[in-house]
Amino acid sequence: MAKVLCVLYDDPVNGMPKKYARDGVPEITSYPGGQTAPTPDAIDFTPGELLGSVSGELGLRRFLESQGHTLVVTSDKDGPDSVFERELHDAEVVISQPFWPAYLTAERIAKAPKLKLALTAGIGSDHVDLQAAIERGVTVAEVTYCNSISVAEHVVMMILSQVRNYLPSHEWVKKGGWNIADCVERAYDLEGMHVGTVAAGRIGIAVLRRLKPFDVKLHYTDRHRLSAEIERELNLTWHDSVESMVKVCDIVTINCPLHPETEHLFNEKMISKMKRGAYIVNTARGKICDRDAIVHALETGQLAGYAGDVWFPQPAPRDHPWRTMPHQGMTPHTSGTTLSAQTRYAAGTREILECWFGERPIRDEYLIVDGGKLAGTGAHSYSAGNATKGSEEASRFKVA
Ligand code: NDP
């Protein structure tokens, strides 16, 4: 029987909700392009409830314990004295979420001789040293598409809120003011602007589709070009490099995975090639941007704004400069963990575990690493290597 070690974010400070704002979430059975939403044999939770925090347990306890497995759930994930490190030595399966990632570095994988499956309850497995997983034969899987649309909605919200100067205007209302000029001195319309996405995968395309009705000019760059049909439908301009795209864009949205090719892609050099006064919206991964280069560009005015919900490491230390830099609309990593998204990634996690313990194949689209190599979605969207370096800094959040 297996030990399943699951790392989830903390419950709300006032405890689990006794009542929810709405009575349910719409049922989504398939995604654009036809991939079906998760199809576990059963679920032991009510869709629309908080499943992603410790007490929610992703709705897994009854299922796992009924099969004789052990489930350990904790939010204490960083540093050598954490519950995660104490429990890791005999775990067969580690489940973690990108929002509150249990960084599976090479050192930690070496301390877990029984580890066979690293499962991401969400999308994005860069918190796992994929090179070490490849070398150790650990399978890495994630719930592809479960929250891609959730993120695309967040991107559109952040683009509008930055360009229209929404957050500072809202602050004036709360302060009791009516300061129209203060609110609008940085406010523009989105209409007519050039918007480009770095990567046109599931999220990138969903962002492009949602932006089209705003009468903007759409651009993209990606390792694989989209079909002529989609390019025509969305009136897209393709660029063969990020540099070529950022030169002409007023807004750049980043939607690629973090892997060695994309780590610190937006450094001082890349940002200097952007139009003065451009905006960046990054909901992909914090480390795709160079932390200090972003702060500097906002301070000098090279960037008019930066928004996103991804940081490095996570949780971000309390003195992380992105918390206080000017003209930013940062949120903690929440875009992919709405109650709607949780329903899907909890069901997807259950589906993957049912396959794993039932010795049935995991869907190809959920695989990142398998059989000692990149596989499935991983083989298409990632490159081998490690992007977890520096993650130990996450433990500073606890002591600050
Ligand atoms: P997909 O796998 O559908 O798309 C990723 C795309 O990135 C692919 O089209 C891939 O290209 C492209 N890509 C990879 N490397 C590069 C590169 N060097 N330059 C340009 N394009 C590149 O994933 P999703 O769209 O669903 O998710 C994308 C990322 O968003 C995730 O990996 C994750 O990091 C992040 N995410 C964030 C969430 C949040 O809550 N904030 C939630 C979900 C995801 P190709 O396949 O053509 O090689």
Side-chain angles (χ1 to χ4, degrees):
M1 292 298 108
K3 173 167 157 187
V4 177
L5 176 55
C6 180
V7 173
L8 299 174
Y9 46 80
D10 286 314
D11 288 349
V13 287
N14 293 323
M16 290 293 275
K18 298 199 170 41
K19 197 168 174 214
Y20 287 85
R22 296 178 51 78
D23 293 329
V25 290
E27 193 188 355
I28 308 291
T29 53
S30 68
Y31 305 119
Q35 181 182 320
T36 55
T39 49
D41 294 339
I43 53 169
D44 296 318
F45 58 82
T46 306
E49 293 192 343
L50 185 56
L51 302 164
S53 70
V54 171
S55 296
E57 299 184 324
L58 298 175
L60 292 174
R61 186 167 295 280
R62 195 185 320 164
F63 159 66
L64 288 171
E65 290 184 346
S66 69
Q67 297 198 4
H69 304 302
T70 308
L71 175 66
V72 176
V73 183
T74 182
S75 65
D76 186 16
K77 68 183 184 71
D78 296 307
D81 302 327
S82 60
V83 172
F84 180 68
E85 287 233 355
R86 281 207 305 275
E87 296 284 349
L88 189 58
H89 65 101
D90 58 348
E92 174 176 327
V93 179
V94 165
I95 303 173
S96 173
Q97 299 166 297
F99 326 107
W100 187 258
Y103 292 103
L104 263 178
T105 56
E107 296 73 35
R108 282 177 158 182
I109 289 177
K111 283 184 198 163
K114 294 193 169 169
L115 181 65
K116 294 201 180 86
L117 174 65
L119 205 175
T120 305
I123 303 175
S125 297
D126 48 276
H127 58 281
V128 180
D129 181 333
L130 296 183
Q131 191 60 41
I134 287 170
E135 285 162 18
R136 251 286 303 279
V138 173
T139 296
V140 181
E142 61 185 46
V143 191
T144 307
Y145 233 143
C146 64
N147 54 13
S148 301
I149 303 300
S150 324
V151 178
E153 291 185 5
H154 208 83
V155 172
V156 174
M157 172 186 82
M158 286 187 150
I159 289 176
L160 285 167
S161 74
Q162 280 292 307
V163 172
R164 304 194 61 87
N165 208 31
Y166 168 54
L167 292 172
S169 308
H170 182 60
E171 285 305 313
W172 277 112
V173 170
K174 289 200 287 183
K175 281 188 280 191
W178 195 262
N179 300 47
I180 309 280
D182 291 287
C183 296
V184 301
E185 68 172 349
R186 297 182 68 88
Y188 298 89
D189 292 344
L190 179 57
E191 184 184 17
M193 287 192 174
H194 289 255
V195 189
T197 174
V198 178
R202 294 170 181 85
I203 297 175
I205 290 185
V207 169
L208 293 169
R209 282 196 203 288
R210 279 157 182 73
L211 287 176
K212 183 151 193 286
F214 285 93
D215 290 330
V216 288
K217 316 236 173 17
L218 294 172
H219 302 253
Y220 82 101
T221 181
D222 196 293
R223 301 195 302 193
H224 301 86
R225 196 161 170 175
L226 296 169
S227 68
E229 196 188 341
I230 298 185
E231 286 193 357
R232 242 189 333 270
E233 176 205 330
L234 298 172
N235 196 17
L236 298 179
T237 303
W238 144 263
H239 296 263
D240 64 4
S241 70
V242 181
E243 287 83 354
S244 142
M245 190 185 80
V246 300
K247 272 187 208 154
V248 296
C249 285
D250 302 289
I251 299 154
V252 171
T253 153
I254 303 175
N255 298 299
C256 56
L258 168 64
H259 54 107
E261 266 175 35
T262 60
E263 188 169 348
H264 295 144
L265 180 64
F266 279 78
N267 54 17
E268 209 160 317
K269 191 160 163 223
M270 182 68 77
I271 296 170
S272 73
K273 294 186 175 146
M274 299 178 74
K275 281 187 184 176
R276 192 193 78 83
Y279 304 84
I280 293 179
V281 171
N282 176 15
T283 53
R285 284 297 178 263
K287 225 187 191 186
I288 297 171
C289 294
D290 178 291
R291 185 190 73 178
D292 297 336
I294 296 291
V295 177
H296 184 65
L298 289 168
E299 285 170 354
T300 59
Q302 172 60 13
L303 286 178
Y306 181 95
D309 73 329
V310 284
W311 309 64
F312 187 80
Q314 290 190 176
R318 290 176 208 269
D319 59 355
H320 193 295
W322 288 7
R323 290 181 185 270
T324 48
M325 63 190 179
H327 313 307
Q328 51 93 3
M330 295 300 295
T331 52
H333 194 161
T334 54
S335 65
T337 186
T338 54
L339 295 177
S340 324
Q342 289 177 37
T343 297
R344 291 187 294 275
Y345 70 64
T349 302
R350 167 88 179 239
E351 178 188 326
I352 291 170
L353 289 172
E354 285 175 358
C355 292
W356 182 260
F357 291 122
E359 295 179 6
R360 302 196 306 260
I362 295 170
R363 292 190 205 195
D364 212 36
E365 60 223 17
Y366 290 164
L367 289 175
I368 303 299
V369 171
D370 194 37
K373 56 183 189 324
L374 292 172
T377 293
H380 200 265
S381 299
Y382 286 77
S383 59
N386 170 32
T388 62
K389 203 159 157 267
S391 56
E392 55 291 339
E393 212 205 334
S395 59
R396 278 184 50 217
F397 181 79
K398 263 205 287 199
V399 292

